[in-house]
Amino acid sequence: MDKYISVPLSDEDARSLRAGDYVYLTGTIYTARDAAHKRMQETLEAGGKLPVDMKNNVIYYMGPSPAREGCPIGSAGPTTASRMDKYAPGLLDLGLKGMIGKGKRSQAVKDAVVRNGAVYFAAVGGAGALLSKAIVKSEVIAYDDLGTEAIRRLEVENFPVIVVNDCQGNDLYETAIRAYNREG
Amino acid sequence: MPDGNGGERKIFRNMRTIEVSEITKNIKEMCIEANHFLSEDMEKVLDRAAEQEESPLGRQILEQLQENRKIAGEDMIPICQDTGMVVIFLEAGQEVHFVGGDLEAAVNEGVLQGYQEGFLRKSVVKDPIQRENTGDNTPAVLHCRIVPGDKVKITVAPKGFGSENMSRVFMLKPADGIEGVKNAILTAVKDAGPNACPPMVVGVGIGGTFEKCALMAKHALTRPVDRRSETPYVREMEEELLAKINASGIGPGGLGGSVTALAVNIETYPTHIAGLPVAVNICCHVNRHSTREL
């Protein structure tokens, strides 16, 4: 089912999404991948404050290619989410409502999604040129020294994603693959 | 001319001379080309997949990938933001004399220039543990071979790590036989699943040694996806495995469907009486490579 949702993600919207929904996101999201997650974790362990308040926000696991002149961003598709599995449950418990990436999540992440009424979306991997067209503005807001891995604030318009893990514990990767499995 | 060991070194005047700056220039252009345009065989097989996919969502994803490639070529935005670590196969004719500098430095200079001028992502860290970005996507991973002749053949294959991370080496026993090999390949592909950005291309190396099979698996990814092995049993295996992989249901984007892989390309090599090494190098649908002969 196609849905148009604004981000940051309200508790109500997050809880209404179901695995398999095709969703267009409009509003503000933040990027963070391996190195930024590691640094956020270290900040939390040291009792510090995160550069982004997690509450109701959505993190896009993405490190873009450099922008050409006149474009807000370069190629901007999702990276493999499982590398962030170590960090995601802690951030979800701090109020993070949505994650955008590609690939399967650990049971600990799926449990944290259920526990916090959150959602994990997949964007189409390897469609970075197409996805860049749904990003209208990009600004580095923290960890500038990490280059492509810096935290960016993105303004998105109808950014296309698919719900994989929802707050009821459904997992589209499991159900959809089973539906097309033809091994005797 | 003295050779430093007390003998005379002969100078052959009929060698073909190639300036290493030519290598730099070509590698720069090939890095940019490979990251914006897929080869014709890849385009064809992906277009066919969009027609054949059974799942409506799978078809929608494959159509988005078509649109993505169109935008990449027209607006010069890389097909994928992971513009990879650059793998280069360089075959130098033994009658070629490289002049004007260090060949490996010239190769890396080409990568540096290509990634800067082409607005490509710099994804290489200097040290695997300390992880500081080199800032220019160098060094490349360079595989050189000396071959007969006076030509230089260069293949530039930027490799993304979503799929690279799902690749495997299996040191099987001779008793595991062909069934063991097939199971190993299917295990690697199924474990990769949605993480490797299917529909994928599966490169396989069977035989040789630990490193030889991995190198064959990587090289197999550069073979056109519409060309099967010339060895009858290998060709059969390629076809059987492709059908089995596509029966797994993983589908485009791992979101279910009938097109999980576009091709299984297998290379083989003699091996030791005690061994049966198998390497599976998985590549996403952005199976990039550009080849030129100088």
Side-chain angles (χ1 to χ4, degrees):
Chain A
M1 183 176 163
D2 285 9
K3 289 181 177 171
Y4 293 82
I5 299 275
S6 64
V7 278
L9 202 50
S10 71
D11 292 355
E12 193 187 8
D13 281 344
R15 285 190 186 280
S16 76
L17 294 171
R18 289 292 167 268
D21 285 350
Y22 202 97
V23 182
Y24 294 93
L25 302 175
T26 297
T28 304
I29 60 176
Y30 294 88
T31 70
R33 45 170 293 154
D34 308 58
H37 275 81
K38 181 165 184 278
R39 206 173 279 185
M40 285 195 284
Q41 177 82 4
E42 286 162 1
T43 301
L44 289 172
E45 280 166 6
K49 192 169 166 279
L50 294 181
V52 179
D53 181 7
M54 288 295 124
K55 198 156 170 42
N56 292 95
N57 268 317
V58 175
I59 291 183
Y60 183 18
Y61 301 141
M62 191 277 287
S65 66
R68 283 186 183 269
E69 208 166 311
C71 297
I73 203 160
S75 196
T79 196
T80 309
S82 61
R83 294 196 314 275
M84 271 52 78
D85 282 357
K86 184 177 162 188
Y87 311 107
L91 297 179
L92 288 161
D93 289 341
L94 287 174
L96 178 68
K97 258 321 144 197
M99 302 159 287
I100 307 170
K102 64 164 168 100
K104 295 176 185 174
R105 307 309 303 260
S106 67
Q107 193 55 49
V109 175
K110 293 187 226 176
D111 291 346
V113 163
V114 172
R115 180 165 75 237
N116 292 289
V119 61
Y120 168 56
F121 302 102
V124 175
L130 177 69
L131 291 167
S132 77
K133 299 292 181 185
I135 298 170
V136 294
K137 200 175 159 201
S138 164
E139 186 189 356
V140 173
I141 57 142
Y143 309 159
D144 197 13
D145 60 301
L146 295 180
T148 187
E149 297 204 69
I151 295 184
R152 288 172 168 77
R153 183 193 292 125
L154 304 182
E155 301 299 328
V156 295
E157 270 179 24
N158 291 325
F159 188 88
V161 292
I162 299 152
V163 177
V164 172
N165 295 111
D166 64 25
C167 69
Q168 291 187 334
N170 297 307
D171 186 338
L172 185 65
Y173 284 135
E174 283 176 15
T175 50
I177 291 173
R178 215 178 298 134
Y180 286 91
N181 185 289
R182 297 249 168 85
E183 295 161 334
Chain B
M1 180 187 250
D3 67 359
N5 296 319
E8 281 295 302
R9 194 196 301 173
K10 286 183 185 165
I11 304 287
F12 291 92
R13 301 285 173 203
N14 58 349
M15 296 280 280
R16 178 182 173 209
T17 300
I18 294 182
E19 290 278 343
V20 294
S21 59
E22 272 299 298
I23 305 290
T24 298
K25 177 179 157 283
N26 277 282
I27 286 182
K28 175 186 98 173
E29 292 169 0
M30 291 159 86
C31 286
I32 296 172
E33 187 180 280
N35 274 298
H36 293 86
F37 303 95
L38 289 188
S39 55
E40 211 175 295
D41 57 297
M42 279 299 297
E43 285 284 350
K44 233 192 277 174
V45 79
L46 278 163
D47 286 345
R48 192 165 359 116
E51 288 164 19
Q52 292 175 344
E53 174 55 54
E54 291 168 28
S55 146
L57 178 58
R59 269 200 305 281
Q60 192 178 347
I61 289 170
L62 291 167
E63 282 160 12
Q64 286 178 345
L65 295 180
Q66 287 177 314
E67 175 73 12
N68 182 63
R69 293 195 299 283
K70 189 162 167 275
I71 292 170
E74 286 175 2
D75 296 357
M76 289 305 279
I77 301 171
I79 303 170
C80 177
Q81 76 291 335
D82 183 357
T83 51
M85 185 167 194
V86 183
V87 177
I88 296 175
F89 292 99
L90 190 150
E91 292 180 3
Q94 63 193 35
E95 284 150 50
V96 171
H97 181 201
F98 292 107
V99 296
D102 171 342
L103 176 65
E104 188 153 354
V107 165
N108 283 320
E109 179 63 22
V111 171
L112 178 151
Q113 290 181 11
Y115 275 68
Q116 272 170 358
E117 291 177 30
F119 290 84
L120 304 176
R121 197 179 79 180
K122 287 75 180 171
S123 312
V124 175
V125 293
K126 193 171 177 183
D127 180 280
I129 302 301
Q130 293 163 345
R131 307 199 74 82
E132 189 195 337
N133 199 301
T134 62
D136 55 20
N137 219 52
T138 69
V141 176
L142 176 62
H143 303 291
C144 288
R145 266 184 77 203
I146 307 287
V147 298
D150 66 353
K151 301 272 194 287
V152 176
K153 187 178 165 194
I154 307 170
T155 297
V156 171
K159 188 66 169 73
F161 258 58
S163 54
E164 191 74 353
N165 278 338
M166 307 315 289
S167 301
R168 303 272 296 273
V169 171
F170 301 85
M171 298 304 285
L172 301 182
K173 297 173 182 66
D176 293 325
I178 194 164
E179 287 309 313
V181 171
K182 288 177 193 168
N183 285 337
I185 296 165
L186 291 172
T187 299
V189 168
K190 284 183 195 172
D191 287 351
N195 291 22
C197 288
M200 48 187 129
V201 178
V202 184
V204 179
I206 309 173
T209 49
F210 181 76
E211 85 288 5
K212 176 69 180 174
C213 70
L215 189 54
M216 286 192 292
K218 177 74 74 199
H219 190 261
L221 292 173
T222 67
R223 189 214 300 169
V225 286
D226 53 6
R227 197 190 303 159
R228 302 276 46 84
S229 169
E230 284 167 16
T231 310
Y233 92 87
V234 177
R235 166 194 287 263
E236 273 172 40
M237 237 172 113
E238 288 177 344
E239 288 166 355
E240 181 191 333
L241 284 166
L242 180 62
K244 282 196 170 145
I245 290 167
N246 286 336
S248 68
I250 295 168
L255 292 166
S258 53
V259 182
T260 300
L262 303 166
V264 179
N265 287 0
I266 302 178
E267 291 188 9
T268 63
Y269 195 78
T271 190
H272 190 278
I273 49 173
L276 179 48
V278 180
V280 185
N281 194 194
I282 293 174
C283 193
C284 59
H285 54 81
V286 192
N287 181 24
R288 293 163 284 203
H289 43 82
S290 169
T291 299
R292 289 186 188 178
E293 195 173 75
L294 309 182

